Amino acid sequence: MDNKNKAKPSGNIWTRLELWKKILIGMILGVIVGTVMGPDAEILKPIGTLFINAIKMLIVPLVFFSLIVGITSMQDTNKMGRISLKAIILYLGTTAVAITIGLGLAALFTPGAGLNMIANNPDAIGKEAPALVQTLLNMIPQNPVGALAAGNILQIIIFAIGLGVSLALIGEKAEPAIKLFESLAEAMYKLTELVMKLAPYGVFGLMAWVAGKYGLEVLLPLIKVIAVVFLAALLHIAVFYTGMISIVARLNPIRYLKGLSNPAVVAFTTTSSSGTLPATIKASREEMGVSKGVASFVLPLGATINMDGTALYQGVCALFVAQAFNIDLATSDYITIILTATLASVGTAGVPGAGLIMLSLVLTTVGLPIEGLAIVAGIDRILDMARTTVNICGDMMVSILVAKSEGELDMDVYNSKEPAAGAPSVAEVKTA
Ligand code: ASP
């Protein structure tokens, strides 16, 4: 197909443009059209709603199948069990740190302050939030089919984990089911790709509506949201991940930062952890010396369940929405956000825009207005670039930590490459 395209470029300039460029154009045009049309731009909203509905259609099967496949990809040996446990604990722990950083920076910079937005049904706000204990109890679905039908993501995650682990435990008998889930997961990734083709138009409709309704002033806080998410992402990678590499694994963090550059660029541009997986595995093995066994298990699992960047973004956006709608959050709300975003990020598929869908889950769990989602949707691609990059950097950090602790890290490979020009050599860093 590539060859054909090269021989004879088909379609007009628009159809040949990369998706993210189309989305950016959709967003800019939306803002312009919305500003010109004012409140009349509401007639364009259905285009956005169509897109949001199509995305919502994906969420339940995508989470369910991709999580099961992530879990069944582990092999049932003792070592694998130990490696899984280490990886899962590290994945969840680092995610909770990520969201705390996101919440902290959003509280510090208050990107939503002064927006004074009003929700459609203000009475519902704050009252919907279930108590923390109830949230925890509700995580276990009494009826998994009901959970799937109702789209209760936390319950779906718990059931998928249980089913996945059981499939892994029954060995040969699970093979047909695993094959079926693998092929359904593949199909859902494809469907997601197709739905994402609607994104430029959907974002156009949403941005036109938002800009028309709230005016250009709504954009300034959005720039602030972008700045806060990028700053949090940078801190998480440059301080927390490198800290874990140097303090916990006792390795040169410069090598880690250098080794992740290729997959980071792929993640930044494709905004898909799953799509970046080949690059992540290659870099972990060839640049960092992670063994084949650890890389081929820990990284796909990470691409499915470890989304530090997504959690961090959900923290920032939840606070942004609360600030924009002047809603005060209690301490228990913050804890609920941390818990829900950690679990929601587990259920987020490693595909473009999946985090935005999960944001609706976090917002509803703490009783924040869902309209906030529409505002963030316009800049979601830009935020997705930062969060996907964090997501895969986190996967690689955990794969190195796990490999090191299992004696599965080839130190010669890890230390072999020349550091980038101007960077201190391995020896210098070690003696420092
Ligand atoms: N695009 C992200 C990823 O693939 C998921 C998200 O939307 O947050 O890692």
Side-chain angles (χ1 to χ4, degrees):
M1 199 186 148
D2 268 346
N3 285 342
K4 257 192 224 158
N5 280 347
K6 266 181 203 148
K8 182 180 165 239
S10 57
N12 55 27
I13 301 178
W14 178 250
T15 49
R16 273 181 282 143
L17 215 54
E18 282 166 84
L19 183 64
W20 71 269
K21 289 181 186 156
K22 288 188 190 175
I23 297 178
L24 202 63
I25 293 173
M27 177 177 133
I28 294 167
L29 282 181
V31 171
I32 295 172
V33 170
T35 314
V36 173
M37 288 178 74
D40 290 343
E42 175 118 32
I43 53 162
L44 296 170
K45 193 183 167 193
I47 312 176
T49 312
L50 180 94
F51 170 60
I52 297 257
N53 285 354
I55 281 192
K56 283 188 184 157
M57 168 185 83
L58 302 171
I59 177 167
V60 168
L62 195 60
V63 170
F64 188 61
F65 297 134
S66 73
L67 199 52
I68 292 182
V69 167
I71 292 169
T72 52
S73 65
M74 346 172 159
Q75 284 130 39
D76 189 25
T77 65
N78 274 347
K79 187 161 186 168
M80 273 300 164
R82 211 174 49 236
I83 290 178
S84 329
L85 196 68
K86 282 185 192 171
I88 290 171
I89 291 174
L90 280 168
Y91 280 154
L92 293 181
T94 53
T95 301
V97 172
I99 181 176
T100 311
I101 292 180
L103 283 173
L105 290 188
L108 194 66
F109 293 107
T110 56
L115 262 181
N116 297 323
M117 301 183 88
I118 296 160
N120 275 349
N121 61 344
D123 287 350
I125 295 167
K127 290 186 186 158
E128 298 262 312
L132 188 57
V133 178
Q134 205 51 40
T135 309
L136 289 176
L137 285 180
N138 284 347
M139 279 169 51
I140 313 281
Q142 295 179 35
N143 172 359
V145 180
L148 287 165
N152 186 324
I153 294 300
L154 295 190
Q155 294 189 344
I156 294 172
I157 291 172
I158 297 292
F159 179 60
I161 293 176
L163 188 58
V165 169
S166 309
L167 283 170
L169 288 177
I170 60 175
E172 236 173 56
K173 282 190 185 154
E175 274 168 19
I178 291 176
K179 281 221 169 71
L180 178 69
F181 284 129
E182 277 171 356
S183 105
L184 287 170
E186 240 0 275
M188 286 313 299
Y189 295 143
K190 192 64 190 177
L191 188 54
T192 307
E193 198 186 306
L194 296 178
V195 166
M196 283 311 287
K197 288 194 198 289
L198 295 175
Y201 314 100
V203 164
F204 166 78
L206 288 172
M207 279 322 274
W209 166 63
V210 168
K213 186 168 179 193
Y214 295 102
L216 274 182
E217 309 86 80
V218 87
L219 285 184
L220 186 68
L222 287 184
I223 294 171
K224 260 176 135 185
V225 172
I226 296 175
V228 173
V229 168
F230 272 69
L231 179 65
L234 203 69
L235 279 180
H236 199 61
I237 297 173
V239 179
F240 181 61
Y241 288 162
T242 56
M244 293 288 279
I245 291 283
S246 50
I247 296 165
V248 180
R250 307 210 151 271
L251 291 167
N252 174 5
I254 310 277
R255 279 289 310 133
Y256 161 73
L257 288 178
K258 203 167 165 264
L260 59 75
S261 55
N262 271 337
V265 171
V266 179
F268 194 77
T269 47
T270 62
T271 66
S272 165
S273 307
S274 299
T276 312
L277 195 55
T280 322
I281 294 181
K282 188 171 189 291
S284 295
R285 295 194 52 203
E286 293 172 11
E287 310 259 327
M288 323 262 194
V290 175
S291 74
K292 185 169 179 242
V294 171
S296 61
F297 166 62
V298 172
L299 292 170
L301 181 69
T304 315
I305 70 163
N306 183 45
M307 306 275 167
D308 288 9
T310 304
L312 172 157
Y313 140 95
Q314 284 169 343
V316 174
C317 290
L319 263 199
F320 164 72
V321 172
Q323 291 160 357
F325 288 86
N326 293 322
I327 298 164
D328 286 330
L329 295 177
T331 316
S332 66
D333 291 329
Y334 284 95
I335 297 170
T336 311
I337 293 179
I338 294 179
L339 270 178
T340 337
T342 303
L343 288 169
S345 72
V346 170
T348 305
V351 295
L356 179 71
I357 306 163
M358 290 307 190
L359 182 60
S360 65
L361 169 82
V362 177
L363 294 182
T364 29
T365 311
V366 275
L368 288 169
I370 200 84
E371 284 101 320
L373 199 73
I375 310 167
V376 181
I379 48 160
D380 194 64
R381 171 71 191 200
I382 304 168
L383 303 179
D384 204 357
M385 295 166 112
R387 62 184 194 249
T388 309
T389 308
V390 176
N391 290 347
I392 66 108
C393 292
D395 298 343
M396 290 177 78
M397 187 276 286
V398 169
S399 79
I400 294 172
L401 250 59
V402 171
K404 177 84 192 308
S405 74
E406 289 287 327
E408 298 259 352
L409 189 75
D410 187 333
M411 291 305 295
D412 290 340
V413 176
Y414 190 89
N415 289 328
S416 69
K417 296 270 166 62
E418 285 303 308
S425 70
V426 175
E428 280 163 8
V429 171
K430 271 194 178 153
T431 47

